[in-house]
Amino acid sequence: MRFDVVTLFPGMFPGYLGQSLLNKAIERSLVEVHVHDIRQWTRNKHQKVDDRPFGGGPGMVLCVEPVVECVESIRKQGAQPGHAVLLTPQGRRLNQCVVEELAQQPRLILLCGRYEGFDQRVIDILQPDEVSIGDYVLNGGEVAAMVVIDAVIRLIPGVLGHADSNQDDSFSTGNRLLEFAQYTRPREYRGLSVPPILLTGNHEEIARWRREQSYEKTRHRRADLLDGRAREDGARERKEQA
Ligand code: 6GU
């Protein structure tokens, strides 16, 4: 899968791209990430990428020409034109369903906004998929683009160590429960012991305990995640145990 990031701050990406899972995925040619500096597509000699808003008001607006011309130019590189995603607090909210949808694309072009946003004609011309990572304001779309890349690459076959280690994740399709508590050695630390059930070797009982943990944690913290089915499953399990 190929990602093209379009940003005014390309320097924010190498640190993230060089680390751990993503670095390995890049080395193994499962993922390609190209970062493009919008400033290189300006035609004026001061390399101006933003300007004051028509009609007045605070802040600066990213100009239409460099952004559109940058995207048109990078679309010509590579086999697919790519699905354009604009990171903006005005977009549809990112969740695991949206991540799964984005992971189907062979190529994503991630447009990172700054300042007061893009000239509306960027959106009119490129018609990007506008995505927000939550109801709070960031200084720009760069961190949001990293969030998208991070969430999407986990779904690319071969990127995770275990073939199915994302199957159990909270929020993966068909799993709307939060994760159960995990423990490793030592068995006791500062008087806190590992739950004895985990040391029994009884895999059936352990699986049941974990499902119950997941369910209770979800009910307490994120009752909104319990759709009809998960709630019924939890109720059935508690009845069976009673
Ligand atoms: Cl995608 N961008 C910015 N600037 N702020 C955000 C966001 C994106 N998602 C939530 N807040």
Side-chain angles (χ1 to χ4, degrees):
M1 177 156 187
R2 173 171 173 153
F3 296 89
D4 289 88
V5 181
V6 174
T7 173
L8 281 174
F9 297 92
M12 289 177 71
F13 289 87
Y16 165 64
L17 296 178
Q19 295 298 312
S20 131
L21 208 74
L22 183 50
N23 187 39
K24 286 197 198 98
I26 292 171
E27 277 176 3
R28 289 156 62 208
S29 303
L30 296 169
V31 174
E32 255 178 74
V33 186
H34 301 262
V35 181
H36 310 273
D37 186 350
I38 297 170
R39 215 169 285 281
Q40 298 196 322
W41 269 269
T42 51
R43 285 192 250 146
N44 52 62
K45 69 168 188 273
H46 301 294
Q47 294 195 300
K48 205 172 157 54
V49 288
D50 56 354
D51 213 332
R52 287 171 299 159
F54 280 123
M60 299 291 269
V61 177
L62 279 176
C63 297
V64 59
E65 313 99 299
V67 178
V68 166
E69 285 163 32
C70 175
V71 171
E72 284 175 349
S73 159
I74 65 179
R75 280 202 150 137
K76 291 188 196 131
Q77 310 167 6
Q80 298 91 8
H83 177 72
V85 174
L86 174 68
L87 285 318
T88 164
Q90 284 138 58
R92 58 181 177 139
R93 181 94 67 84
L94 188 71
N95 58 28
Q96 194 64 24
C97 269
V98 174
V99 171
E100 284 169 15
E101 193 189 307
L102 296 177
Q104 300 299 310
Q105 299 285 340
R107 184 180 183 193
L108 292 178
I109 298 179
L110 304 173
L111 308 172
C112 308
R114 276 272 149 175
Y115 310 112
E116 306 306 306
F118 291 92
D119 186 304
Q120 176 61 34
R121 291 165 293 184
V122 170
I123 296 155
D124 297 342
I125 293 169
L126 299 175
Q127 303 195 354
D129 183 0
E130 296 179 73
V131 170
S132 163
I133 65 165
D135 292 340
Y136 40 80
V137 181
L138 304 171
N139 288 316
E142 284 78 10
V143 171
M146 293 183 217
V147 167
V148 169
I149 295 171
D150 209 276
V152 166
I153 61 159
R154 305 183 80 260
L155 302 181
I156 297 174
V159 168
L160 296 187
H162 268 288
D164 59 355
S165 52
N166 58 22
Q167 286 301 301
D168 285 345
D169 290 353
S170 301
F171 308 118
S172 68
T173 306
N175 180 4
R176 308 289 296 164
L177 297 181
L178 301 180
E179 276 170 71
F180 49 80
Q182 296 272 28
Y183 296 86
T184 186
R185 285 185 288 183
R187 288 184 180 205
E188 196 193 305
Y189 182 68
R190 297 193 183 180
L192 298 175
S193 299
V194 174
I197 177 87
L198 298 177
L199 309 174
T200 60
N202 185 336
H203 297 294
E204 219 170 283
E205 283 302 312
I206 291 170
R208 187 203 301 279
W209 181 84
R210 285 176 163 170
R211 281 197 302 275
E212 183 64 18
Q213 279 253 316
S214 281
Y215 178 78
E216 285 305 322
K217 190 190 264 186
T218 310
R219 197 170 62 84
H220 277 109
R221 297 187 181 183
R222 293 292 309 273
D224 58 299
L225 293 178
L226 294 175
D227 56 20
R229 222 193 77 199
R231 221 174 276 132
E232 284 159 28
D233 289 351
R236 184 172 342 107
E237 198 137 293
R238 280 193 312 283
K239 208 154 83 191
E240 279 167 12
Q241 279 183 322

